[in-house]
Amino acid sequence: MATGAVPTSFSGLRRMDCNLGSSKSVDFVRVSDMQRIKYGRRKVSVIRNSNPSSDIAELQASSEGSPLLVPRQKYCESIHKTVRRKTCTVMVGNVALGSEHPIRIQTMTTTDTKDVAATVEQVMKIADKGADIVRITVQGKREADACFEIKNSLVQKNYNIPLVADIHFAPSVALRVAECFDKIRVNPGNFADRRAQFEKLEFTDEDYQKELEHIEQVFTPLVEKCKKYGRAMRIGTNHGSLSDRIMSYYGDSPRGMVESAFEFARICRKLDYHNFVFSMKASNPIIMVQAYRLLVAEMYVQGWDYPLHLGVTEAGEGEDGRMKSAIGIGTLLQDGLGDTIRVSLTEPPEEEIDPCRRLANLGMKASDLQQGVAPFEEKHRHYFDFQRRTGQLPVQKEGEEVDYRGVLHRDGSVLMSVSLDQLKTPELFYKSLAAKLVLGMPFKDLATVDSILLRELPPVDDNDARLTLKRLVDVSMGVITPLSEQLTKPLPNAMALVNLKELSTGAYKLLPEGTRLVVSVRGDEPYEDLEILKEVDATMILHDLPLTEEKISRVHAARRLFEYLSDNALNLPVIHHIQFPKGIHRDDLVIGAGTNAGALLVDGLGDGLLLEAPEQDFDFLRNTSFNLLQGCRMRNTKTEYVSCPSCGRTLFDLQEISAQIREKTSHLPGVSVIS
């Protein structure tokens, strides 16, 4: 495989002398031999070292045998534990943002900004719920004028919560409202450019430079005013609103999002203005995560330390919105990234505060404890481009009486823990697994559970319960049970759950020959303990690290496990098994699952889920599992809703309209509905 090394301090690809050059800034180099970069006479894409440094970045092939070499850039402080990225402090009114301060939570009003009384009332309600910052849309001059009244009214009522003006398409409005609000949010995709109209698809270098000069001319007055009045700024790129110029060069990509924001940041720095933060929002959590990582990686290269505002835009409502936000925001918090967050829900804005606080608390706890595992080398995970590691699905073996090929699903598996009591009512039990029933017999459907974990087997003479399980096995649903149960009360064709100790002692050899094995692994074991995995024919691995292990990070332990598997060419499927404590709040369960499993699935690490929570509703756990897989762009089992969280620009009741749309379209799995 082609590899090489270059200085890490580079500004991307630029047109160069010596007959070498490229007209665009991209995140890869196309070479087949590192010598060609240095000595070759023909034009190739090269990296220019704009800030000489002794640090070296490794280049690796983007895939086996590929001539594309990708820089292994640093994107977080540590790959083996949660260490908060060091940032400068940005003041938003009287609230400080940055790594030396708590993760701040915020939301956005949904009232008509011109309705001063309604907006003030909503801001006070949000502040009373505990938000640190409130954003208000400011579309035009009348809204800007209303902002002065809103600010004055709040001050008179002793509310000093910082206010942020959300600006699109209106530089003059931004200049006006900067005189009273504490922070200005600009969208690089439409502040000086128009949102992409796909009218001009080719830009020459000269055209591109003229556009940049235009942006500087339009943006500079706002930067100077913010500097004069001590205002903060958020340079907030949206995946869905990139300009024609950016789209023509980078496409609809995370790299384009980063470059769009950097154009504005360079102007700020040129004017010696540094009181700003970045955001990289997308409705797809995978794209959102990649964009933030690329942004931070480039900031490390440039030596910048600006804080981050995290959010998944248009996440939706209810559990869907919370899950998408947990996947995107939670993933980055586990890597120590993020200084202020918003959970965007199609719900009243004050309802965003509670899940936002739960996520912030989770992130602060991880960084305060520096949760992680012993240092390990990471060579296989793709930080900036999604490449799924797909475990080998079960293969039917000669002589097997039942078909094991359905115990896992190629797009992501859902496993559920069931009890003996559930077996007493077979039809209700089958329905709870989302199986179709034909004359009382279960059959798998689009969103049927793939395998079940039964910690206690029914007595050998309980014919009814065993018939209930046999019918599941007959339709290729896996039944997993502990080794001790399978040895004392064997269930034909069940899979035995074993741990590494039971493997190393050979206890599993007491099982009938050919019994399928499921191995439970923590991920932080000594490598010599994991060596036994090379010797057994396991159907799947359950990654199960107890949440009670406060100092150990599930995410980092799993990454370590996947590195070991890849290093040893072990293509075993891995199921993320999370056991939540008794009495856990539903939102904590959703956010915990989205963060702990989603942070791995967005990197293509994992083949499914097994969520356990005592006393939680069985249907809720099953739906949460499928929602998590769909949020990570794996198994699509229901209609996908990309729903705006609403703001003062929305001239109708978005929640009511969204509910009507759901009622008419919820039967369309695989379809995305944007509202």
Side-chain angles (χ1 to χ4, degrees), residues 336-440:
L337 305 179
D339 305 287
T340 179
I341 63 176
R342 181 196 175 192
V343 174
S344 300
L345 302 175
T346 311
E347 298 177 20
E350 62 271 18
E351 297 301 318
E352 295 182 353
I353 304 305
D354 182 65
C356 201
R357 183 182 294 111
R358 293 176 192 274
L359 259 174
N361 290 343
L362 186 152
M364 288 301 297
K365 179 181 178 181
S367 60
D368 287 346
L369 294 175
Q370 292 203 351
Q371 292 174 337
V373 294
F376 64 96
E377 185 180 5
E378 194 172 46
K379 306 186 295 292
H380 301 283
R381 181 164 63 99
H382 294 264
Y383 310 149
F384 308 120
D385 62 318
F386 180 81
Q387 292 191 29
R388 183 181 171 195
R389 172 204 178 270
T390 304
Q392 175 63 54
L393 292 173
V395 176
Q396 195 67 10
K397 299 175 184 177
E398 186 177 353
E400 289 184 321
E401 299 175 355
V402 297
D403 189 349
Y404 286 98
R405 289 173 294 181
V407 304
L408 294 176
H409 193 284
R410 67 181 183 280
D411 296 327
S413 306
V414 169
L415 283 67
M416 294 289 292
S417 178
V418 304
S419 67
L420 285 178
D421 284 343
Q422 289 175 275
L423 304 183
K424 294 176 182 178
T425 52
E427 289 201 5
L428 288 177
F429 175 49
Y430 296 149
K431 287 180 180 178
S432 72
L433 299 174
K436 290 193 300 184
L437 289 177
V438 179
L439 300 176

Side-chain angles (χ1 to χ4, degrees), residues 418-421 423 453-459 466 469 480-482 485 489:
V418 304
S419 67
L420 285 178
D421 284 343
L423 304 183
L453 171 62
L454 192 60
R455 294 190 180 278
E456 183 181 358
L457 284 174
R466 290 188 165 244
L469 293 172
I480 304 169
T481 192
E485 288 291 295
K489 296 178 286 185

Side-chain angles (χ1 to χ4, degrees), residues 18-307:
C18 304
N19 203 32
L20 296 175
S22 171
S23 60
K24 305 176 188 179
S25 174
V26 294
D27 62 333
F28 60 81
V29 195
R30 188 179 186 88
V31 293
S32 56
D33 187 307
M34 287 302 297
Q35 294 298 318
R36 285 182 177 273
I37 295 180
K38 207 167 184 179
Y39 303 113
R41 289 185 172 277
R42 64 187 181 85
K43 287 187 178 182
V44 295
S45 296
V46 299
I47 292 176
R48 181 177 68 178
N49 181 12
S50 61
N51 180 21
S53 165
S54 60
D55 294 334
I56 296 295
E58 179 189 355
L59 292 180
Q60 64 173 21
S62 61
S63 58
E64 188 70 33
S66 172
L68 290 183
L69 295 189
V70 184
R72 289 187 59 83
Q73 293 169 256
K74 175 181 178 181
Y75 82 92
C76 64
E77 288 294 307
S78 171
I79 63 162
H80 64 269
K81 62 182 177 179
T82 301
V83 179
R84 198 159 173 203
R85 170 181 165 261
K86 299 298 181 184
T87 75
C88 63
T89 292
V90 167
M91 294 302 301
V92 183
N94 59 356
V95 172
L97 296 182
S99 58
E100 299 303 312
H101 312 282
I103 296 171
R104 306 299 187 180
I105 59 180
Q106 58 179 284
T107 184
M108 186 174 186
T109 59
T110 58
T111 54
D112 183 344
T113 306
K114 296 190 299 297
D115 188 339
V116 173
T119 303
V120 168
E121 181 180 354
Q122 193 171 72
V123 171
M124 291 191 297
K125 187 181 295 186
I126 291 167
D128 290 342
K129 283 280 190 176
D132 297 304
I133 299 169
V134 181
R135 182 158 49 110
I136 297 172
T137 186
V138 188
Q139 306 100 297
K141 185 178 181 303
R142 288 192 296 167
E143 286 82 4
D145 291 341
C147 288
F148 287 82
E149 297 181 55
I150 291 167
K151 181 71 173 181
N152 290 336
S153 180
L154 286 167
V155 170
Q156 290 170 12
K157 296 175 186 291
N158 294 317
Y159 280 83
N160 294 312
I161 187 168
L163 302 179
V164 182
D166 192 62
I167 304 295
H168 296 270
F169 305 104
S172 61
V173 172
L175 285 170
R176 169 73 170 146
V177 79
E179 296 175 10
C180 69
F181 273 16
D182 304 284
K183 183 180 177 184
I184 308 297
R185 181 276 171 117
V186 297
N187 181 348
N190 59 37
F191 185 80
D193 287 326
R194 291 188 305 165
R195 181 184 296 185
Q197 305 292 313
F198 306 102
E199 293 174 356
K200 184 172 183 178
L201 301 179
E202 294 293 334
F203 282 76
T204 64
D205 287 351
E206 184 179 356
D207 291 336
Y208 203 96
Q209 188 57 40
K210 285 181 179 178
E211 291 274 358
L212 292 180
E213 291 169 1
H214 171 67
I215 289 173
E216 184 169 354
Q217 181 181 6
V218 173
F219 186 49
T220 292
L222 177 61
V223 176
E224 291 175 336
K225 181 160 260 189
C226 286
K227 190 175 177 181
K228 174 183 176 182
Y229 283 89
R231 308 304 187 198
M233 187 183 296
R234 168 156 71 100
I235 301 174
T237 304
N238 268 4
H239 181 235
S241 59
L242 298 175
S243 68
D244 275 327
R245 176 176 46 79
I246 289 293
M247 292 281 283
S248 73
Y249 261 51
Y250 306 98
D252 190 12
S253 69
R255 172 57 62 178
M257 295 170 66
V258 172
E259 185 59 29
S260 182
F262 263 54
E263 290 174 352
F264 279 63
R266 292 185 191 109
I267 296 169
C268 290
R269 290 176 57 82
K270 181 178 179 181
L271 298 170
D272 196 26
Y273 172 74
H274 303 280
N275 201 42
F276 64 89
V277 304
F278 284 112
S279 71
M280 298 277 121
K281 290 194 173 184
S283 60
N284 181 334
I286 294 177
I287 291 175
M288 174 263 198
V289 167
Q290 289 175 2
Y292 276 103
R293 286 175 175 171
L294 283 168
L295 173 80
V296 175
E298 187 67 11
M299 278 204 280
Y300 275 124
V301 166
Q302 300 292 344
W304 297 1
D305 60 354
Y306 301 106

Side-chain angles (χ1 to χ4, degrees), residues 472-531:
L472 293 178
V473 172
D474 287 344
V475 295
S476 199
M477 183 178 292
V479 176
I480 304 169
T481 192
L483 173 63
S484 58
E485 288 291 295
Q486 191 64 356
L487 287 174
T488 56
K489 296 178 286 185
L491 178 71
N493 304 308
M495 296 182 285
L497 178 63
V498 296
N499 56 37
L500 293 180
K501 183 177 181 180
E502 289 167 333
L503 287 181
S504 62
T505 61
Y508 72 98
K509 295 178 181 178
L510 298 173
L511 293 167
E513 186 178 353
T515 300
R516 295 268 184 163
L517 298 179
V518 176
V519 184
S520 181
V521 176
R522 288 171 53 100
D524 65 338
E525 299 93 342
Y527 287 127
E528 52 266 29
D529 290 357
L530 295 174
E531 290 290 299

